[in-house]
């Protein structure tokens, strides 16, 4: 009940309706938590028995960004916290995807392992920094900082939680855009990214 967006998108994109993805915490360079508070939930399906210690250890070699309207316990440990309006995470992700398609996407992955690139580009085209910032209630500079972190990191590992999947609307598109972001940065089933079994 609390994760239907994840199951749907996992099935549509990955071919299996499960949540059995695992962040490669040892080699990750950028982890993005969206609408999830692993300090309290202990990582939900990513199983962090001691989340405070794990996130502190992660910060020693990676940036940890949190997108959450609330300054959660996890946000307090993060490198950066952005507080978009509830239900608008998709706009931030659409901005990142738009910019990566223009410059920075893993071209080998795009050419050999994806379909629908033109349709995707058309769907995210309206989400330049100004529009995404307006929708999400964020500062344009914060979006550019996040984009710079994505460019610097390479693979981006993303984990979402009930803040996304139990939202009143946009949960499916947000979950889908997290997959798109990971695919474009070469994070799916690659070191430093997310293992999808």
């Amino acid at each position: 009940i609390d994760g239907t967006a994840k199951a749907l998108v996992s099935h549509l994109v990955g071919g299996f309706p499960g949540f059995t993805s695992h962040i490669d915490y040892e080699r990750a360079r950028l982890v993005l938590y969206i609408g999830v508070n692993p300090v309290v939930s202990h990582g939900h399906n990513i199983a962090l028995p001691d989340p405070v210690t794990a996130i502190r250890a992660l910060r020693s070699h990676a940036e940890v960004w949190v997108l959450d309207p609330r300054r959660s316990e996890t946000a307090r440990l993060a490198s950066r916290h952005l507080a978009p309006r509830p239900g608008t995470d998709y706009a931030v992700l659409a901005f990142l995807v738009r910019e990566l398609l223009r410059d920075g996407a893993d071209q080998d992955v795009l050419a050999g392992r994806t379909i629908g690139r033109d349709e995707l580009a058309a769907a995210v085209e309206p989400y330049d920094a100004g529009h995404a910032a307006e929708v999400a209630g964020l500062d344009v500079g914060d979006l550019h900082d996040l984009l710079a972190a994505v460019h610097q990191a390479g693979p981006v590992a993303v984990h979402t939680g009930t803040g996304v999947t139990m939202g009143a609307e946009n949960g499916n598109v947000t979950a889908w855009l997290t997959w798109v972001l990971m695919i474009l940065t070469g994070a799916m089933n690659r070191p430093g990214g997310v293992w999808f079994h």
Side-chain angles (χ1 to χ4, degrees), residues 55-72:
I55 292 170
R56 285 181 177 152
L58 178 62
R59 287 274 319 269
S60 70
H61 61 86
E63 287 199 44
V64 177
W65 285 65
V66 171
L67 291 184
D68 197 312
R70 182 176 156 275
R71 186 161 172 78
S72 66

Side-chain angles (χ1 to χ4, degrees), residues 85-187:
R85 288 187 190 101
T88 64
D89 306 301
Y90 74 92
V92 175
L93 294 168
F95 161 72
L96 294 173
V97 168
R98 177 187 189 267
E99 297 306 313
L100 286 170
L101 286 172
R102 291 168 172 241
D103 178 36
D106 185 318
Q107 295 301 314
D108 291 335
V109 170
L110 274 177
R113 301 182 65 188
T114 65
I115 58 171
R117 179 180 181 173
D118 293 339
E119 292 88 343
L120 173 62
V124 297
E125 181 57 31
Y127 290 91
D128 61 15
H131 181 62
E134 181 180 346
V135 170
L138 295 172
D139 186 80
V140 169
D142 288 334
L143 293 181
H144 284 296
D145 288 349
L146 177 55
L147 178 62
V150 169
H151 278 299
Q152 183 175 351
V156 177
V158 184
H159 180 59
T160 62
T162 55
V164 169
T165 59
M166 294 185 75
E169 54 188 49
N170 303 319
N172 291 342
V173 74
T174 300
W176 178 69
L177 285 168
T178 65
W179 275 70
V180 173
L181 178 62
M182 290 188 286
I183 290 167
L184 292 181
T185 62

Side-chain angles (χ1 to χ4, degrees), residues 71-88:
R71 186 161 172 78
S72 66
E73 293 82 355
T74 302
R76 291 185 193 114
L77 294 174
S79 310
R80 288 285 294 271
H81 169 231
L82 301 183
R85 288 187 190 101
T88 64

